[in-house]
Amino acid sequence: MTSFTDHFAPVAADYGRHRPGYPPALFAWLASLVPHQALAWDCATGTGQAARGLAEHFQRVLATDASNAQIRAAEALPGVDYRVAPATECPADDGSVALITVAQALHWFNGDPFHRELRRVLSPGGLLAAGSYGRLETGVPELDTLLRALHDEILGPWWPSERRHVLNGYRDLALPFEPLETPDFAMHCHWNLPQLLGYLGTWSAVARCREATGQDPLADLAAALAARWGDPAQPRTVRWPLSLRVTRAPGAPAHA
């Protein structure tokens, strides 16, 4: 990993409350392809959004993050062992991990050192699964226009440069091993307006803008969204297409 900058420490507690979860079908599919269900490693777990889904299928989930603030804010879950550790220092034995997941975090890594570590800990035939989600959509054109303007224009100067990898689905990031074909997955939440605004407040660009300017980029947006949302307590479906890249380490059995 490059020198670690904790973009999310100021919003770690909100991150745990407001970040969306991943579809259960994703973890069921991944678990069906691995050589065993003894151990999964959720690398850069944040506050455990992916670890929660992995715990349904694996005896033990090792959930690590370089951010102490994120780990402190993570939800305690049976079978999930949270540790503060960078992506290059997995506290697992050689060849012991059946599945490594990196959810919405691969763009922060320095590839080669992380690749060496995943080669060390992956079991023969084990999987690496890296997922990302970018712009959200509600299916309501007036709302989606406002949300896109926030992401692209208002917050444009405040996104870290690595954000480009999230928006292009990690297609420019090299991954080791043989790629697998993946089904289409999407993330869905049914949120009212305060819940949506809570999620937007977890964006790293929002935190950076607030810190640099002393202004809240969500203030005007909240009023504009409210004018088009209707009853703010009314839930609407929020959707994120999920980009997924999965590769398999050498040594896979014919039928995992």
Side-chain angles (χ1 to χ4, degrees), residues 124-156:
L127 298 184
L128 166 66
S132 66
Y133 58 93
R135 297 179 184 89
L136 70 161
E137 52 195 37
T138 67
V140 179
E142 296 86 351
L143 297 175
D144 290 344
T145 295
L146 289 170
L147 293 168
R148 180 172 285 272
L150 172 70
H151 184 285
D152 294 353
E153 299 167 21
I154 298 171
L155 295 178

Side-chain angles (χ1 to χ4, degrees), residues 211-233:
E211 181 178 1
T213 68
Q215 303 296 316
D216 185 355
L218 299 184
D220 291 340
L221 176 78
L225 287 173
R228 294 160 177 81
W229 190 279
D231 181 356

